[in-house]
Amino acid sequence: AQSVSQHNHHVILSEAASLELGCNYSYGGTVNLFWYVQYPGQHLQLLLKYFSGDPLVKGIKGFEAEFIKSKFSFNLRKPSVQWSDTAEYFCAVTQGSWGKLQFGAGTQVVVTP
Amino acid sequence: DGGITQSPKYLFRKEGQNVTLSCEQNLNHDAMYWYRQDPGQGLRLIYYSQIVNDFQKGDIAEGYSVSREKKESFPLTVTSAQKNPTAFYLCASLGSGSSYNEQFFGPGTRLTVL
């Protein structure tokens, strides 16, 4: 079955540390890839997306992600986190048409001052 | 402001009762979606609708029903047949143009069955 795996369920790190969240998917063929973020008490919102072209994509708030086709991966990175990055992060992949998203289980990130 | 609204924010229901969750969007999007979010499981697709008067089952449709009589509205009914309805429910719509294939989410409804 097609699936999306996020490597860590919980991550705790200090401000200014670097962050990398892993995401792997099991789909063959062309995929559209997304990272969404859910800040405490806020709507789920898009961080960044990859459809085609440059495999290194930049999103909002200093986040970036790299698509590595050979590894079926789309890892999220931020060089230096802030306390305000505390949130839950979800990787998602389209199953096909009409944006039917398959989500990973999510990673809860806590940034300590 | 354009966006998606869901009501109510919190909902309590007794076992055996049906309950309907509201979802409205003023983004003029054709496609709309309902997801269920449980801790440690991410979001799972319940139903989706590509266009008015049409909808399809998602991965976990059992115990739920929907309607799509208007483009702006996509209500979800949680029936008494849903065995574990306590969860956070999110509605979304699908963008187009510069937001092609991007889903926009509402604030969610937290349903608790007592």
Side-chain angles (χ1 to χ4, degrees):
Chain A
Q2 296 168 328
S3 65
V4 179
S5 299
Q6 292 186 235
H7 304 166
N8 306 96
H9 292 300
H10 291 92
V11 172
I12 302 175
L13 60 166
S14 301
E15 278 189 314
S18 63
L19 173 69
E20 180 160 0
L21 302 181
C23 174
N24 287 91
Y25 59 93
S26 63
Y27 298 73
T30 302
V31 292
N32 294 336
L33 299 156
F34 305 80
W35 275 97
Y36 281 85
V37 61
Q38 192 172 35
Y39 297 104
Q42 295 189 25
H43 297 202
L44 198 68
Q45 58 184 282
L46 183 70
L47 265 181
L48 47 78
K49 61 185 177 183
Y50 173 80
F51 289 173
S52 64
D54 187 344
L56 185 63
V57 293
K58 296 191 182 299
I60 61 172
K61 304 189 180 185
F63 285 90
E64 64 179 30
E66 184 175 13
F67 170 55
I68 304 179
K69 188 175 182 179
S70 60
K71 295 185 178 181
F72 297 88
S73 70
F74 190 55
N75 292 352
L76 180 71
R77 299 193 290 252
K78 185 169 183 178
S80 177
V81 295
Q82 302 172 315
W83 176 79
S84 58
D85 293 321
T86 294
E88 190 159 18
Y89 294 81
F90 295 93
C91 180
V93 180
T94 52
Q95 289 183 326
S97 61
W98 292 99
K100 282 177 61 180
L101 286 173
Q102 184 76 28
F103 282 84
T107 299
Q108 182 66 50
V109 174
V110 175
V111 180
T112 59
Chain B
D1 290 334
I4 300 176
T5 57
Q6 292 184 242
S7 62
K9 187 173 181 180
Y10 299 96
L11 188 57
F12 297 88
R13 185 195 95 179
K14 293 182 179 179
E15 281 191 23
Q17 291 181 337
N18 293 355
V19 63
T20 298
L21 282 59
S22 169
C23 177
E24 303 279 332
Q25 56 102 356
N26 60 4
L27 299 167
N28 199 34
H29 290 166
D30 287 314
M32 296 184 72
Y33 305 80
W34 272 106
Y35 294 91
R36 170 182 171 139
Q37 184 178 5
D38 296 281
Q41 296 192 53
L43 280 71
R44 293 179 290 168
L45 182 64
I46 304 173
Y47 267 97
Y48 66 102
S49 168
Q50 297 176 358
I51 201 166
V52 175
N53 293 323
D54 182 64
F55 49 83
Q56 286 81 41
K57 293 181 179 179
D59 299 321
I60 55 165
E62 186 176 351
Y64 300 98
S65 65
V66 293
S67 63
R68 187 81 187 280
E69 298 176 359
K70 298 187 299 181
K71 188 175 186 178
E72 303 80 22
S73 179
F74 190 39
L76 173 74
T77 296
V78 184
T79 75
S80 57
Q82 168 51 233
K83 295 179 181 178
N84 185 21
T86 294
F88 190 52
Y89 292 87
L90 287 166
C91 179
S93 65
L94 185 66
S96 59
S98 61
S99 300
Y100 171 74
N101 222 15
E102 176 185 344
Q103 291 194 19
F104 294 81
F105 287 83
T109 292
R110 188 167 298 280
L111 172 64
T112 302
V113 174
L114 304 172

